[in-house]
Amino acid sequence: MVRLEGAFPVLITPMTQKAEVDYDGLRGNIDHYINEKVAGIVVNGSTGEFVSLTKEERFKVARVAVEHVNGQIPLVVGTAAETTKDAIEYTQQAETVGADAALLINSYYAHPKDPEIYEHFKAVAESVSLPVMIYNNPFTTGVNIGTETILQVANDVDNITHIKESSGDISKVRDITRQGKGFIKTFCGSDDLALESFLVGATGWISVAGNIVPSLVTDLYNITAQNDLEEAWKLYDQILPLCNFIEGSGKYVQIVKRAMDLQGLAGGPPRKPRLPLDETEEKELKELLNELQGVSL
């Protein structure tokens, strides 16, 4: 089993100007992140616009990513779906093509109760043998999964090994990490709480900002793991304005895609109904990027 630890950029799905998936661009972006020595990557996540992709596109993104990564770094594939049946299909496809782990959120329209979420996670994870990282994101799904439910399903199902915690509640990261010791590990899912999450025991970070500054988010995790907190805070102070912009804007997909374009990487337009950044947002993004080390426009 591949070790999942460190900063994992959750990749955008690059598009052509006609809003078709740019698979060559995806391959080029993957090369970029491998060269930047990230700990791993995620495809078909929220930042990858999975809800805007067809089933065939999601399958192909997963397959292309696995083939191109070719075992150089861990690859996590997002397998979210509204129904348990569809989530099982996506997760089984991820395992079939060779992904190292699946990232699985609960239904995002039905607003399920905790017992329903427990059964959803259990059924999907038990349909495969690869590690499953469950995902709590109340801002997207409208449901903040209870800590007890998260701990119970991870304790009951062997291949539920991690959680991406995006509730914004640092005490929840702390409690899951401490009470789940030995059977579930925590990944930060809130870019503006990364260092705080590491300090309460998170062993990884599914990072949106990592698309734009992969080496800085990687350094932040590694420096913190080495217990050099003074340097970690200095680096966090540098990254945090970008993280706050991403978390607070409501346009994290558009921000990352535009930043990729500005750096000469593959971004492209988002699929509608998402619209590009307006002039004010673009100006703020450029100002933030100009303040960051290692970013050239």
Side-chain angles (χ1 to χ4, degrees):
M1 182 181 299
V2 170
R3 185 178 185 184
L4 303 176
E5 180 179 336
F8 284 49
V10 53
L11 274 55
I12 54 107
T13 302
M15 304 275 181
T16 67
Q17 290 306 310
K18 292 184 178 179
E20 300 295 330
V21 176
D22 178 3
Y23 295 102
D24 285 339
L26 173 64
R27 295 183 182 95
N29 288 347
I30 289 172
D31 288 338
H32 170 67
Y33 296 120
I34 291 173
N35 290 335
E36 292 290 320
K37 302 187 185 309
V38 300
I41 57 172
V42 183
V43 297
N44 283 343
S46 302
T47 309
E49 298 177 85
F50 80 87
V51 292
S52 301
L53 302 179
T54 66
K55 180 184 290 186
E56 291 72 23
E57 288 170 334
R58 288 179 62 177
F59 281 0
K60 186 170 180 179
V61 166
R63 179 172 54 77
V64 167
V66 168
E67 290 173 354
H68 203 69
V69 168
N70 194 26
Q72 297 176 82
I73 54 174
L75 171 65
V76 180
V77 174
T79 61
E82 180 62 21
T83 67
T84 303
K85 179 183 177 183
D86 286 347
I88 287 173
E89 184 177 6
Y90 283 118
T91 307
Q92 289 180 337
Q93 191 265 348
E95 181 170 60
T96 299
V97 298
D100 294 302
L103 177 64
L104 177 68
I105 200 167
N106 54 280
S107 302
Y108 29 86
Y109 188 81
H111 293 184
K113 305 301 182 187
D114 272 27
E116 296 168 322
I117 294 170
Y118 174 95
E119 294 296 335
H120 176 76
F121 286 160
K122 184 173 185 288
V124 176
E126 288 184 342
S127 75
V128 293
S129 59
L130 84 171
V132 173
M133 179 183 294
I134 56 176
Y135 180 15
N136 181 38
N137 187 340
F139 302 105
T140 297
T141 66
V143 177
N144 190 9
I145 307 169
T147 298
E148 289 302 318
T149 299
I150 291 166
L151 292 168
Q152 189 65 54
V153 75
N155 192 47
D156 292 350
V157 182
D158 288 344
N159 62 326
I160 294 180
T161 57
H162 294 75
I163 179 166
K164 176 186 176 186
E165 224 305 305
S166 299
S167 69
D169 180 356
I170 197 66
S171 68
K172 194 158 192 160
V173 180
R174 177 199 64 205
D175 292 346
I176 295 170
T177 302
R178 294 188 64 77
Q179 296 173 35
K181 187 174 182 179
F183 60 90
I184 188 168
K185 294 183 177 179
T186 310
F187 265 53
C188 170
S190 303
D191 271 20
D192 54 352
L193 288 174
L195 182 52
E196 294 89 338
S197 298
F198 302 156
L199 295 178
V200 297
T203 55
W205 178 12
I206 303 295
S207 175
V208 180
N211 281 280
I212 303 169
V213 286
S215 62
L216 297 184
V217 300
T218 300
D219 288 347
L220 179 61
Y221 179 81
N222 292 339
I223 290 170
T224 308
Q226 293 162 7
N227 209 29
D228 188 349
L229 295 185
E230 184 172 348
E231 287 302 314
W233 279 110
K234 287 181 183 176
L235 185 53
Y236 195 38
D237 287 341
Q238 185 185 161
I239 300 171
L240 196 53
L242 176 64
C243 295
N244 288 335
F245 183 48
I246 288 170
E247 290 285 353
S249 67
K251 288 190 170 182
Y252 56 96
V253 171
Q254 295 95 316
I255 290 169
V256 173
K257 287 197 150 185
R258 184 60 184 142
M260 300 288 286
D261 287 334
L262 290 169
Q263 294 181 86
L265 298 163
R271 276 194 175 155
K272 293 181 178 178
R274 286 189 167 101
L275 295 174
L277 300 182
D278 62 28
E279 288 184 11
T280 302
E281 293 160 342
E282 169 126 353
K283 180 173 182 289
E284 184 172 357
L285 174 61
K286 288 180 176 176
E287 289 173 353
L288 288 168
L289 296 181
N290 281 325
E291 294 295 321
L292 286 165
Q293 293 178 7
V295 174
S296 16
L297 305 182

